[in-house]
C-alpha cells in the first residue's frame, strides 16, 4: 500500500511490516489456553509478532476498508491479542508490553464510512498498550483517485511521521 511505503520512508529507526494478506497467522479459536496461561497455544508467525508488539515503541494499523471494517485477515491477527485481554482481566498479570504510540491508516475505494474500522483499530491498539493514538489518517475514493494524489492523506502521513519521530518531551513542550 502506497501510504505505508510513504510513512516507512520517513520514520527513524527500524520498522517491521506484518502483511496480513501474506503472513501465516491463524485466527483465535477461543481454546481458552490463555485464560490460565500466558502466551498463545497456536504456534505460528504470531509468536514473532507478539515479540515485536511487546518491544516496539510505535504501532500503526493500516487497512483497506472492507464492508466498513478492517479486512478479515487483519481481524484474524487482532483476535490473537485475546491473550493480552485475558492476561489483564482473567490471569490478572502485569503485562510485559512496552507502552507505545499508535496510529491508524485507512483507505476506501468508495466514499464509505471509516468510523467502524477506526473504532475496531483503536480497540486493538489499546490491547497493545497504546497510550497515545493519533487522529486517523484516511483516503476515500481510491478507485478514482490514488491515495498518493490525495493531498489531505499525504499531509496526514507527514503528521504521523512527525508524531512518531518526535520525542514525548518535544510533544509536551
Ligand atoms: C470485499 C471488499 C469490500 C469492500 N468494502 C468497501 C467499503 O465498505 N467501503 C469502501 O469505501 N470501499 C470498500 N472496498 C474497496 C476497498 O476499500 C478498496 O478496493 C481498497 O481500499 C483499495 O486500496 P488501494 O487503493 O490501496 O489498492 C471493498 C473492497 C473489497 C474487496
Amino acid at each position: 500500500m502506497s501510504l505505508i511505503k510513504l510513512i516507512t520512508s520517513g520514520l527513524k529507526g527500524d520498522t517491521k511490516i506484518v502483511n496480513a494478506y501474506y503472513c501465516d497467522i491463524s485466527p483465535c479459536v477461543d481454546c481458552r489456553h490463555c485464560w490460565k496461561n500466558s502466551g498463545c497455544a497456536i504456534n505460528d508467525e504470531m509468536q514473532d509478532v507478539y515479540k515485536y508488539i511487546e518491544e516496539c515503541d510505535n504501532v500503526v494499523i493500516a487497512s483497506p476498508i472492507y464492508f466498513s471494517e478492517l479486512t478479515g485477515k487483519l481481524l484474524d491477527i487482532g483476535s490473537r491479542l485475546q491473550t493480552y485481554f485475558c492476561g489483564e482481566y482473567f490471569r490478572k498479570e502485569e503485562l510485559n508490553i512496552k507502552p507505545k504510540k499508535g496510529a491508524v491508516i485507512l483507505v476506501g475505494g468508495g466514499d464509505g464510512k471509516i468510523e467502524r474500522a477506526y473504532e475496531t483499530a483503536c480497540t486493538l491498539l489499546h490491547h497493545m498498550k497504546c497510550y497515545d493514538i493519533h487522529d486517523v489518517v484516511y483516503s476515500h475514493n481510491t478507485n478514482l483517485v490514488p491515495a498518493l494524489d490525495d493531498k489531505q492523506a499525504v499531509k496526514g502521513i507527514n503528521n504521523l511521521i512527525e508524531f512518531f519521530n518526535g520525542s514525548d518531551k518535544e510533544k509536551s513542550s
Side-chain angles (χ1 to χ4, degrees):
M1 190 159 109
S2 47
L3 296 182
I4 295 177
K5 281 195 189 136
L6 188 62
I7 189 171
T8 48
S9 68
L11 290 175
K12 291 184 198 156
D14 297 331
T15 54
K16 163 82 190 162
I17 296 178
V18 179
N19 187 327
Y21 281 129
Y22 299 114
C23 63
D24 167 31
I25 298 180
S26 309
C28 172
V29 290
D30 199 11
C31 73
R32 308 199 173 177
H33 170 87
C34 63
W35 280 29
K36 294 208 167 121
N37 307 282
S38 59
C40 176
I42 304 174
N43 193 10
D44 60 9
E45 229 177 297
M46 191 65 193
Q47 298 298 339
D48 290 330
V49 176
Y50 287 130
K51 281 189 210 124
Y52 301 132
I53 292 171
E54 285 155 29
E55 292 166 5
C56 70
D57 300 304
N58 304 309
V59 62
V60 176
I61 292 180
S63 179
I65 296 174
Y66 281 6
F67 305 112
S68 307
E69 251 302 354
L70 304 178
T71 65
K73 284 293 287 172
L74 194 47
L75 291 174
D76 281 354
I77 297 179
S79 70
R80 297 286 294 282
L81 301 178
Q82 174 71 351
T83 185
Y84 294 145
F85 173 86
C86 291
E88 206 167 337
Y89 294 99
F90 295 161
R91 305 193 308 269
K92 302 196 188 302
E93 277 171 15
E94 193 67 43
L95 296 177
N96 196 16
I97 307 174
K98 189 168 182 181
K100 54 187 100 280
K101 292 192 266 191
V104 182
I105 302 172
L106 299 171
V107 290
D111 57 359
K113 294 186 184 306
I114 58 161
E115 288 78 10
R116 196 186 306 164
Y118 181 53
E119 201 183 323
T120 304
C122 286
T123 301
L124 300 178
L125 290 175
H126 284 131
H127 286 306
M128 291 185 269
K129 278 246 164 47
C130 287
Y131 63 89
D132 190 4
I133 301 176
H134 195 278
D135 290 342
V136 61
V137 172
Y138 63 91
S139 184
H140 286 321
N141 216 17
T142 58
N143 288 344
L144 296 176
V145 181
L148 280 184
D149 292 341
D150 178 343
K151 287 198 178 74
Q152 172 230 294
V154 171
K155 186 165 179 270
I157 294 292
N158 288 326
N159 290 340
L160 286 187
I161 291 170
E162 257 180 60
F163 171 66
F164 287 130
N165 285 346
S167 71
D168 285 343
K169 218 168 152 199
E170 281 164 15
K171 264 184 88 254
S172 58
S173 60

